[in-house]
Amino acid sequence: MKDLYTLPKAELHLHIEGTLEPELALELAARNGVELPYDSVEELRRQYDFEDLSSFLELYYATTAVLREASDFEALTRAYLGRAAAQGLRHVDVFCDPQAHTVRGVPLETVLDGIRSGLDAARTEHGITSTLLLCFLRDRPAAEALELFESLGDQLPRIDGIGLDSAEVGHPPALFEQVYARARAAGLHVVAHAGEEAGPEYVREALDVLRVERVDHGIQSLRDPDLVARLVAEQVPLTVCPLSNVRLRVVGALAEHPVLDMLGRGLLVTVNSDDPAYFGGYVGDVYQGLRDALGMTDEQAAALARNSVDASFAGAQRKRAVHAEITAWEQG
Ligand code: ADE
Ligand code: ZN
């Protein structure tokens, strides 16, 4: 068996705020004078026992409040990329949640300055390429998302695409039709979380109304055989997050996770870490977890890595280079 941590791979479903480890959270809280109701790393980590997506989001937004300066966002981004580089990451399409910051009075420009600096540094230091996608919070008004998009102005070229995240049930994709149309017209990539906790109809809406290029999570599609057939036929990439699904109780245990069955059925699945600081592992840990719990073979791992490259927003030349590295890993 080969080392899954050296398998070259891309990650397509990664919330930068979800990479905030307790150590950095407490350091930034002290530096920025932000009160967190936890005094130690251990106490904060003890809160990581989630009942569902909403219970996780509550803690996620609360700890996100320690991020205030561009240098905080840069430190966060650099820390993530350093860890992921050590686990074989070659390219990442990064999500960030601007509204989680703008509602606290942190300007969007500060957020973008910091994350962009971190991404630029990773390209030089680790050779990791990246794109940046802004996610709208679906449990806030669609008008606010549109307003945020319109306010981008000359910052628009600093982003590569948009996504849709936060509490899913009761907030269907179609509510965001207008802002997605604007983003597509501006030439941006478009993706959306759908079918994480809500049903297959959310996945259909994301495809038909928002016209997304990829579906984030999408595992509830398995409840609808016609939808599965469509996803196979159209080769719609699904960014599946197995450790997240277990921690948020979407799936009972990793040993029961359907991701390898999905791969076997011809779905274009990729595996990703979602919010690695909260869910027990970075992208290499996800691959290792699938081997440990499901007996994933080296061939399946390489297929998932190839899918991650193909479905990423990396350029064609970069994709070819990482494909060649995956082949070398297989032959090594
Ligand atoms: N924000 C951060 N992680 C998320 C997830 N898994 N689902 C929805 N919104 C999120
Ligand atoms: Zn997510």
Side-chain angles (χ1 to χ4, degrees), residues 13 15 193 217 274:
H13 186 151
H15 302 267
H193 284 52
H217 293 293
D274 205 3

Side-chain angles (χ1 to χ4, degrees), residues 128-330:
I128 295 175
T129 53
S130 56
T131 69
L132 181 58
L133 313 178
L134 300 190
C135 283
F136 301 115
L137 302 187
R138 67 199 312 156
D139 48 359
R140 299 187 64 87
E144 188 179 295
L146 191 58
E147 200 177 307
L148 174 76
F149 185 77
E150 301 296 350
S151 77
L152 279 168
D154 57 8
Q155 313 244 21
L156 189 65
R158 303 180 80 191
I159 68 165
D160 302 286
I162 62 159
L164 187 65
D165 67 0
S166 206
E168 184 181 17
V169 174
H171 307 283
L175 293 171
F176 295 85
E177 180 174 9
Q178 213 181 340
V179 70
Y180 271 71
R182 297 298 293 248
R184 286 198 318 273
L188 294 181
H189 288 295
V190 293
V191 301
H193 284 52
E196 178 182 16
E197 285 190 338
E201 64 281 8
Y202 277 45
V203 176
R204 288 182 187 283
E205 261 188 29
L207 292 170
D208 295 332
V209 181
L210 304 187
R211 314 235 301 264
V212 295
E213 296 163 73
R214 301 194 297 239
V215 173
D216 296 312
H217 293 293
I219 68 166
Q220 301 300 339
S221 306
L222 297 176
R223 289 156 46 187
D224 180 342
D226 290 342
L227 177 58
V228 171
R230 174 181 177 187
L231 294 170
V232 172
E234 296 178 13
Q235 286 292 283
V236 177
L238 304 178
T239 65
V240 176
C241 304
L243 299 184
S244 163
N245 294 153
V246 173
R247 291 298 185 100
L248 301 185
R249 307 194 193 191
V250 171
V251 172
L254 204 51
E256 295 163 19
H257 202 285
V259 66
L260 297 183
D261 297 331
M262 295 168 79
L263 184 68
R265 288 163 74 174
L267 286 161
L268 207 174
V269 287
T270 65
V271 295
N272 307 272
S273 66
D274 205 3
D275 300 285
Y278 294 91
F279 299 151
Y282 288 78
V283 67
D285 301 318
V286 178
Y287 281 72
Q288 185 62 45
L290 295 178
R291 175 187 278 170
D292 295 343
L294 290 167
M296 179 174 71
T297 64
D298 288 349
E299 290 71 26
Q300 288 172 317
L304 288 170
R306 287 208 167 85
N307 284 353
S308 75
V309 174
D310 289 337
S312 77
F313 297 140
Q317 198 181 347
R318 180 68 177 141
K319 288 184 178 186
R320 278 195 297 278
V322 183
H323 268 296
E325 284 195 274
I326 295 170
T327 303
W329 178 86
E330 281 189 302

